[in-house]
Amino acid sequence: MTDISTPAARERHVICMKWGTKYGPEYVNRLYAMVRRHLQGDFRFVCLTDDSQGIRPEVQCLPIPSLDLPAGLPERGWTKLATFTEDLHGLRGTALFLDVDVVVTGPLDDFFTLPGEFRIIHDYKRPWRITGNSSVYRWELGAHPDVLAYFRSHFDEIRSKFRNEQAYLSDFLHRQGKLQYWPAEWCPSFKYHGIPAWPTNYWKPPFVPAGARVVIFHGECNPPDALAGRRNRRFRFIKPATWVGEHWRE
């Protein structure tokens, strides 16, 4: 954890979340290292987690606030909504949330200075919709407690209307006029923007899209899969994405 000496209103936090067994501590450790290489100045790196074992000491591990959801529900990212609790372990300032499986390839400073009350990635597949992709979002800690309060009191209604947390979150803040998106080139999708078109994918390797700062891995592929040239769907060949190894490291 990097010490902060600036006033609380100007503190910068990078927050990630790890729960269950899908991702090991190496994802958090490598994410921290990538952020440290690409974010100038002081910041606090926080991992909200149910298991801090193996996570490097620079990362402040804190419990995930409970959402009190019924047991046995399919994972739809609802847990991320815990970041909008009114008092997140006493943290104050500006927070940038990053999924643990992203790969940072460019400068992050502008993610904290770009104007806007709430910023998120715009949906890749259906850009005509307001829905954002919550792999990268920024907000002021404690500024949107109504997001979580409404979710807790209307969960059944929300679950029937929205497929996942990012759809609910985007709709809720859009209705308040607070939803804005990152510049499209900052947070491209590996799946949609980083794989050569067929049939050139058989002889050309995946690449870092122009202007990328945080490359998002979603769906069938994660960083180690991409590095090894694996996809989890048949007939979708990729060569090894060697560039991943240059960035996704401690």
Side-chain angles (χ1 to χ4, degrees), residues 193-208:
H193 307 120
I195 298 175
W198 184 90
T200 65
N201 58 305
Y202 281 89
W203 62 84
K204 291 183 179 181
F207 55 91
V208 179

Side-chain angles (χ1 to χ4, degrees), residues 181-196:
Y181 305 109
W182 299 117
E185 67 274 13
W186 284 13
C187 304
S189 160
F190 176 80
K191 176 180 177 181
Y192 294 126
H193 307 120
I195 298 175

Side-chain angles (χ1 to χ4, degrees), residues 28-40:
V28 178
N29 295 340
R30 293 178 186 189
L31 181 60
Y32 169 84
M34 290 187 290
V35 171
R36 181 66 283 175
R37 289 193 291 269
H38 289 287
L39 182 58
Q40 302 298 312

Side-chain angles (χ1 to χ4, degrees), residues 225-236:
D225 289 329
L227 184 58
R230 292 189 302 263
R231 295 183 79 172
N232 298 323
R233 298 184 68 177
R234 297 179 65 190
F235 311 120
R236 295 196 177 185

Side-chain angles (χ1 to χ4, degrees), residues 57-70:
E58 298 95 333
V59 176
Q60 183 179 13
C61 292
L62 296 170
I64 301 172
S66 175
L67 293 184
D68 300 320
L69 299 182

